[in-house]
C-alpha cells in the first residue's frame, strides 16, 4: 500500500490558502514531466484533485526519491506521494487515512527454471534473489 505522506499543514477545505504547499517531485511511472515542463501521471492528477478541493497552490521541488524523502523528513517540503507505510516512518510523519494506490511485486525467473513453484516457499531454498539496491522491499528482506 502506498500513501500520501504529509507534514502537518493547516488548511480548510474549499478555503483559499495563501500558503504554498511544497510538493516533492521525482520522476517515476506515475509522475512524469515532458520536454515542455508539463507534469502528468496518476500521482500528479491525484494531488491536483486535492489542491482543487483544499484551495491549495503547489510549488514542486524536483529531485530523486531519496532527496525528496530527506527533504520531507527535514520539513523542507510539505507533501511527498508514493511512500510505503512503516511504523518507523509513522512516528515521524503523517500518512493519509486512505492509500493513494497499491503496490504489487512479482518474482521473475527464466521460463526454463521449472524447479521454482509459486506458493511453495521451500522451492526457493538455496536460490539467489536479486533486487534493486535502493527499495523498501530490500530493507525488509535484509532485516530478516
Amino acid at each position: 500500500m502506498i500513501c500520501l505522506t504529509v507534514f502537518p499543514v493547516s488548511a480548510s477545505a474549499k478555503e483559499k490558502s495563501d500558503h504554498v504547499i511544497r510538493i516533492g517531485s521525482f520522476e517515476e511511472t506515475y509522475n512524469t514531466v515532458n520536454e515542455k515542463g508539463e507534469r502528468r501521471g496518476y500521482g500528479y492528477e491525484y494531488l491536483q484533485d486535492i489542491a482543487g478541493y483544499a484551495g491549495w497552490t503547489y510549488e514542486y521541488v524536483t529531485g530523486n526519491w531519496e532527496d525528496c524523502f530527506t527533504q520531507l523528513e527535514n520539513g523542507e517540503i510539505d507533501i511527498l506521494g508514493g511512500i510505503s507505510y512503516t511504523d518507523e516512518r509513522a512516528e515521524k510523519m503523517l500518512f493519509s487515512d486512505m492509500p493513494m494506490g497499491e503496490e504489487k511485486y512479482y518474482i521473475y525467473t527464466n521460463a526454463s527454471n521449472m524447479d521454482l513453484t509459486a506458493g511453495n516457499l521451500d522451492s526457493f531454498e538455496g536460490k539467489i534473489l536479486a533486487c534493486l539496491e535502493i527499495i523498501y522491499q530490500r530493507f525488509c528482506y535484509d532485516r530478516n
Side-chain angles (χ1 to χ4, degrees):
M1 185 177 316
I2 55 176
C3 297
L4 178 67
T5 309
V6 298
F7 267 68
V9 176
S10 58
S12 300
K14 299 195 182 196
E15 179 180 305
K16 188 66 177 167
S17 171
D18 291 334
H19 182 73
V20 175
I21 308 298
R22 294 174 49 89
I23 304 291
S25 177
F26 57 95
E27 286 277 334
E28 51 98 13
T29 305
Y30 301 109
N31 292 299
T32 61
V33 180
N34 68 18
E35 55 281 344
K36 295 178 183 177
E38 298 167 328
R39 296 181 180 281
R40 297 183 189 268
Y42 171 79
Y44 171 75
E45 296 296 331
Y46 183 81
L47 288 170
Q48 289 304 111
D49 286 349
I50 292 171
Y53 177 75
W56 289 345
T57 301
Y58 292 147
E59 174 187 336
Y60 287 90
V61 178
T62 303
N64 63 40
W65 190 91
E66 287 179 306
D67 290 342
C68 289
F69 186 80
T70 299
Q71 289 175 334
L72 180 69
E73 287 183 308
N74 294 336
E76 298 167 17
I77 60 173
D78 302 304
I79 295 176
L80 180 61
I83 296 180
S84 297
Y85 178 91
T86 68
D87 291 337
E88 180 183 356
R89 289 175 179 171
E91 291 176 11
K92 301 181 216 173
M93 55 191 71
L94 300 175
F95 283 84
S96 55
D97 290 337
M98 298 294 295
M100 64 181 287
E102 182 179 328
E103 297 174 308
K104 293 186 180 192
Y105 298 93
Y106 299 91
I107 296 174
Y108 296 90
T109 186
N110 187 302
S112 66
N113 193 352
M114 300 303 290
D115 61 334
L116 294 177
T117 308
N120 179 0
L121 294 180
D122 290 339
S123 71
F124 289 82
E125 185 70 34
K127 303 294 189 263
I128 297 172
L129 179 66
C131 65
L132 297 173
E133 188 170 351
I134 306 171
I135 59 170
Y136 171 69
Q137 289 69 23
R138 180 178 173 116
F139 169 76
C140 291
Y141 176 77
D142 288 345
R143 287 182 26 192
N144 293 324

